[in-house]
Amino acid sequence: MNPSLKFILAFIVSLEISLKASLTTNILVIAFALVYLLVTKTKLKELLLLIILPFIAAFTIFATLYWFSPTPDPYYAWNLSTRVYVYTLTIACVTRKVTATDFARSLERNLHLPSKFAYGVLAAINIIPKMRMAVNQIRTSAMMRGMYLSFWSPALYFKAILVALNSADNLAQGMESHGYVENQKRSTIVAIPLTKKDWLIFFTLLILVNISLFCFK
């Protein structure tokens, strides 16, 4: 399915579920997401992390509304706690088999967003590993001078901001040297297709979710 349509579908479903309470729909969406992740051969370790990590937030919400509320409501507690898994698993489905490059290209070609936005998102994602390396180098350099920069140290973030500004300038120069010109039409190296099948899947899933929302509690 087209990356942009997957993102829009997940956004609409998450928004509708947050506005309309339906425990049955939450469970159906969670089940469908898990089946999709299994069909696409998600690693067992990744699947377990998607189930275990949100459990803390889901359990906290359930405990607050069921055990520590003056008027306990089991249905409302289950409804809000399962929403955590809906949001987590739908995002996991969106990112499954979709690279950052494909998503950025889809935003530009299919949603017709400005190319500077698409390339900016792609640049921000790709620069994260370099920023981690830069932060480690800053902390190592400080330790060699007898200084310890903790995670919350203002000096660490000040130096990291300077590195980020320098990297942004280098990135801008690199894009210009490769022929990037803002607001100019660009050729398509790799096309991201948006087919009738994608639209059919999109509207089918959206209609089914809405039917479940308004027909089941």
Side-chain angles (χ1 to χ4, degrees):
M1 188 176 178
N2 183 271
S4 295
L5 281 187
K6 286 176 69 176
F7 173 75
I8 294 173
L9 178 63
F11 177 76
I12 294 175
V13 169
S14 300
L15 182 62
E16 290 184 334
I17 285 177
S18 65
L19 297 175
K20 180 77 167 59
S22 175
L23 180 58
T24 303
T25 304
N26 292 355
I27 295 173
L28 289 175
V29 171
I30 292 171
F32 177 82
L34 289 174
V35 171
Y36 176 80
L37 293 173
L38 288 173
V39 169
T40 53
K41 298 180 180 180
T42 304
K43 294 181 180 178
L44 181 60
K45 182 180 178 181
E46 296 177 1
L47 197 59
L48 289 175
L49 287 175
L50 288 172
I51 296 173
I52 294 172
L53 292 181
F55 177 77
I56 299 174
F59 179 78
T60 302
I61 294 173
F62 180 85
T64 302
L65 296 175
Y66 185 69
W67 289 316
F68 301 103
S69 175
T71 55
D73 187 346
Y75 175 81
Y76 193 60
W78 278 111
N79 182 61
L80 289 187
S81 59
T82 52
R83 282 181 186 178
V84 176
Y85 281 100
V86 171
Y87 301 146
T88 303
L89 293 176
T90 51
I91 292 300
C93 291
V94 170
T95 58
R96 184 63 184 158
K97 290 191 173 182
V98 176
T99 64
T101 304
D102 289 340
F103 185 61
R105 286 172 175 164
S106 179
L107 291 177
E108 181 189 11
R109 297 296 174 183
N110 303 135
L111 296 187
H112 303 290
L113 294 181
S115 59
K116 61 181 179 182
F117 176 81
Y119 285 99
V121 171
L122 189 59
I125 293 174
N126 289 331
I127 206 173
I128 290 176
K130 295 182 179 180
M131 287 303 303
R132 289 178 179 173
M133 186 182 299
V135 169
N136 290 333
Q137 290 176 349
I138 292 170
R139 296 185 68 180
T140 303
S141 300
M143 291 177 66
M144 293 178 66
R145 297 194 300 270
M147 298 172 57
Y148 176 72
L149 298 179
S150 61
F151 180 77
W152 53 84
S153 174
L156 175 62
Y157 289 102
F158 178 75
K159 294 177 182 293
I161 290 173
L162 294 179
V163 173
L165 291 174
N166 184 52
S167 299
D169 186 54
N170 291 337
L171 178 62
Q173 293 180 12
M175 292 179 68
E176 289 180 1
S177 65
H178 281 77
Y180 177 82
V181 180
E182 189 176 347
N183 299 324
Q184 294 294 323
K185 188 176 180 180
R186 297 179 59 82
S187 58
T188 302
I189 300 177
V190 178
I192 305 296
L194 183 58
T195 63
K196 293 181 180 179
K197 181 181 177 181
D198 293 330
W199 285 110
L200 179 62
I201 295 173
F202 174 83
F203 283 112
T204 301
L205 293 177
L206 189 60
I207 291 171
L208 290 176
V209 169
N210 279 272
I211 291 173
S212 178
L213 270 174
F214 290 98
C215 293
F216 301 105
K217 187 177 179 181

